[in-house]
Amino acid sequence: MNFLTSHFMSDIFLGATNGVLYGLIALSLVIVWRATSILNFAQGAMAMFATYLGMTMTEHGLNFWLAFALAIVAGFAMGGVTERVLVRPLYKRPEINSIVVMVGFLGVLESAASAIWSSSPRVLVSPFSQNYFQHGNTTIDLSPFALFQIGAALAVMLGVGAIFQYTKIGLQLRASALAPEVARLLGVRVNRLLTFGWMLSSAAGVVAAVIITSSSSIFLTPSVMDGFFVFGFIAAAVGGLESPVGAIVSGLLIGLAQQFLLDYAPSGLSSFAPVVILVVALMIRPQGLFTTTKARRV
Amino acid sequence: MISVHGLSVSYGAVRALDDVSFDAAPGKITAILGANGAGKTTLLRTISGLVTPKAGTITMGERTLVGMKTEDIARAGLGHVPEGRGVIAEFTVEENLRLGAMAANVDLKTGLAAQYEQFPVLGQRRNQHAATLSGGERQMLAMARALIAQPKVLLLDEPSLGLAPLVTQELMGTIKDLCASQNLTVVLVEQNAKSALRIAHDAVVLHLGTVAASATAAEVAADERLRQYYLGLVEQ
């Protein structure tokens, strides 16, 4: 048990907890990128907005789990509406169009959240204790809440993986992303599936936002997801944007690197870790660490 | 049965098809022949709704296809095996077939069994990625994937492209058998006029987007002028 309380394991626990969150955000970005070749810069803001809706429910006395579920439903709906209204006109347009629109949407959502809920920090309380587990007189840097975060993130990752790999809709979604024209010739309603891809991605992002902001050390503000989004985005880029597994592994890598640098390197260096990893990874493999397919334009 | 009447398609200022008409009947193979750029692929893509025509009508049985979405045309019973085969390389053989069966609402198990019986090599390779298949096997897979949906009409775009002569011969035999046994309406686009004419009942010769000739395959094959000028079939 001494090992579990060691400094090394402490870094692993703390780093992995952040890492799975980055991985989940990265996964959400990869789903949308694979399906529609659009980088959803508003992903964090959409998740933030749905989380505010959930938070409002808890303020009105709804319990955490129901509010969580409603936030996820709101995430599904937001993803679908966003694809139909904002994103669909962007297909087959220059990439800069989608970047401008999605960054603009990020601004709109954050402003709207400030207007509705004010920008003062709000609290979303999870039912899990954030006190670290004790072993004798020593502390293991892992709390029931951290286990909840890791568990929920892993559950979403496995769920998304299972949908993609084993269900009809998953197969059709993959086909729509890989070969939209062939899919249409086989009768697949590609547009509907792309909408579904956005819904799935958005809901996964909401899970990340809820489990991040229900921590007692992080308050809900309109810009709460900005930092997490940047790290999630870097994880997706390091993984190669195409690879769900790459996104998750890169997220973990970045979380761990941050934690170890925080501990062993001069202060301030840890915030650079993700960027350094991004630069080094892209220098070694410009197509991303986990991309096996060749470059393609959809 | 497919009936095309007065079909015209333009890509900007370029006229790809100009007043094209022909009928393709069930249980028969209609070959669409012509050189590169004659408009053969455009014709199939227009029938499938991937290209919107400027004028003309296309009907499949009682249904008017112009204006329908590609996926709805497919669901109405039109199978289209595109040029370059269009198998999804990242999918396994079976995933490709499952995808073909999905929209058509056919029983997957019986559908798969039927295709593996028709194309035994696909059964042997069912869990392999399509990327690992040979050219001929990919063509088999593309055809099986279209056939599993039990289409009434099958459009084949250059199925012999890149295949060895023996494989082409075998493939043409398979197409002929399928057409007869399932009473399929087959529209076969080919640059390889010789092997297409061997199995086709009717032939339409396209030249720069217009119909240069439309007759039975035997008549086209016997017409020296067509053979020389449009089909590049010169006696050695």
Side-chain angles (χ1 to χ4, degrees):
Chain A
M1 277 307 262
N2 282 340
F3 181 62
L4 280 180
T5 60
S6 69
H7 213 70
F8 176 78
M9 282 314 284
S10 154
D11 285 338
I12 295 272
F13 291 142
L14 295 171
T17 310
N18 275 330
V20 287
L21 298 174
Y22 301 155
L24 186 54
I25 293 166
L27 176 67
S28 161
L29 288 169
V30 166
I31 295 170
V32 153
W33 171 261
R34 274 171 60 124
T36 57
S37 290
I38 282 175
L39 280 172
N40 183 7
F41 288 100
Q43 189 260 8
M46 287 165 69
M48 168 279 296
F49 203 88
T51 307
Y52 263 107
L53 294 175
M55 184 273 304
T56 310
M57 299 293 167
T58 60
E59 282 185 347
H60 284 83
L62 209 66
N63 86 28
F64 175 80
W65 295 108
L66 275 174
F68 194 173
L70 279 174
I72 293 173
V73 172
F76 267 113
M78 275 177 79
V81 172
T82 304
E83 196 274 343
R84 289 303 297 262
V85 178
L86 277 185
V87 178
R88 194 162 291 182
L90 297 171
Y91 299 146
K92 293 179 183 162
R93 304 266 169 184
E95 276 164 9
I96 186 73
N97 293 23
S98 64
I99 294 172
V100 171
V101 169
M102 294 328 289
V103 172
F105 190 41
L106 159 81
V108 168
L109 284 173
E110 292 196 356
S111 308
S114 297
I116 300 168
W117 292 285
S118 89
S119 49
S120 52
R122 302 291 191 94
V123 184
L124 184 63
V125 187
S126 87
F128 294 96
S129 157
Q130 277 176 251
N131 297 327
Y132 289 130
F133 292 112
Q134 296 289 322
H135 179 249
N137 289 329
T138 48
T139 305
I140 303 171
D141 281 351
L142 203 59
S143 63
F145 178 72
L147 286 181
F148 157 66
Q149 284 186 311
I150 295 173
L154 288 181
V156 173
M157 290 168 183
L158 291 174
V160 168
I163 287 174
F164 270 78
Q165 206 57 43
Y166 301 113
T167 67
K168 277 188 180 186
I169 204 167
L171 189 72
Q172 290 184 321
L173 184 57
R174 278 154 63 210
S176 303
L178 287 167
E181 190 172 293
V182 170
R184 282 203 165 92
L185 288 175
L186 296 172
V188 176
R189 300 196 194 282
V190 171
N191 284 339
R192 285 189 201 172
L193 282 144
L194 299 185
T195 307
F196 174 71
W198 272 78
M199 293 168 78
L200 194 65
S201 157
S202 170
V206 171
V207 173
V210 170
I211 61 185
I212 285 169
T213 54
S214 54
S215 156
S216 62
S217 56
I218 294 175
F219 296 105
L220 182 55
T221 65
S223 58
V224 65
M225 291 302 288
D226 290 359
F228 283 92
F229 173 78
V230 170
F231 296 139
F233 178 74
I234 291 174
V238 168
L241 276 176
E242 295 275 333
S243 161
V245 175
I248 293 164
V249 174
S250 304
L252 265 177
L253 192 73
I254 288 169
L256 289 169
Q258 273 184 328
Q259 190 59 40
F260 275 96
L261 283 174
L262 195 67
D263 218 11
Y264 295 99
S267 67
L269 218 60
S270 115
S271 30
F272 288 115
V275 186
V276 173
I277 291 175
L278 177 69
V279 170
V280 172
L282 293 187
M283 275 166 67
I284 301 169
R285 268 178 73 89
Q287 69 274 44
L289 296 182
F290 293 85
T291 304
T292 49
T293 46
K294 285 186 224 95
R296 67 183 167 83
R297 290 262 29 105
V298 190
Chain B
M1 111 125 175
I2 282 275
S3 196
V4 172
H5 192 76
L7 197 67
S8 295
V9 173
S10 297
Y11 295 125
V14 181
R15 253 209 162 176
L17 292 177
D18 190 5
D19 197 21
V20 169
S21 302
F22 74 93
D23 292 322
K28 283 190 173 178
I29 297 171
T30 305
I32 311 284
L33 307 172
N36 258 335
K40 306 185 297 294
T41 295
T42 298
L43 177 57
L44 294 196
R45 290 173 63 83
T46 310
I47 295 173
S48 279
L50 291 169
V51 174
T52 312
K54 237 175 112 177
T57 57
I58 305 167
T59 52
M60 180 168 69
E62 300 292 298
R63 284 179 109 128
T64 301
L65 300 189
V66 176
M68 276 173 78
K69 284 187 195 157
T70 298
E71 46 269 44
D72 293 327
I73 293 174
R75 283 165 186 257
L78 185 119
H80 181 159
V81 180
E83 196 177 3
R85 294 155 200 141
V87 298
I88 299 181
E90 292 87 344
F91 280 14
T92 63
V93 168
E94 189 146 313
E95 281 176 330
N96 268 288
L97 292 173
R98 272 171 55 203
L99 187 68
M102 259 168 213
N105 242 338
V106 291
D107 182 55
L108 182 65
K109 239 179 156 178
T110 33
L112 283 175
Q115 296 311 316
Y116 290 152
E117 197 189 325
Q118 176 74 42
F119 304 103
V121 66
L122 298 180
Q124 290 156 21
R125 301 182 191 271
R126 66 181 74 183
N127 293 321
Q128 267 175 244
H129 280 100
T132 65
L133 300 183
S134 72
E137 288 162 354
R138 282 186 191 211
Q139 188 61 54
M140 302 284 172
L141 176 56
M143 293 219 323
R145 193 181 57 184
L147 290 169
I148 200 169
Q150 297 174 351
K152 296 189 248 12
V153 175
L154 186 63
L155 311 183
L156 297 170
D157 197 351
E158 302 270 6
S160 76
L161 196 74
L163 299 186
L166 263 178
V167 182
T168 300
Q169 211 176 359
E170 198 181 322
L171 183 75
M172 293 294 166
T174 309
I175 293 170
K176 194 177 175 182
D177 294 344
L178 282 169
C179 175
S181 66
Q182 303 187 20
N183 200 33
L184 269 173
T185 303
V186 176
V187 179
L188 172 66
V189 156
E190 264 298 339
Q191 265 198 73
N192 185 344
K194 211 171 167 181
S195 47
L197 284 173
R198 209 171 284 153
I199 60 163
H201 303 86
D202 297 315
V204 177
V205 180
L206 288 182
H207 180 65
L208 298 175
T210 58
V211 176
S214 178
T216 66
E219 282 164 356
V220 170
D223 188 324
E224 204 49 46
R225 186 184 65 97
L226 288 174
R227 292 170 60 91
Q228 251 182 358
Y229 291 111
Y230 300 121
L231 306 178
L233 297 174
V234 182
E235 298 301 329
Q236 298 290 316

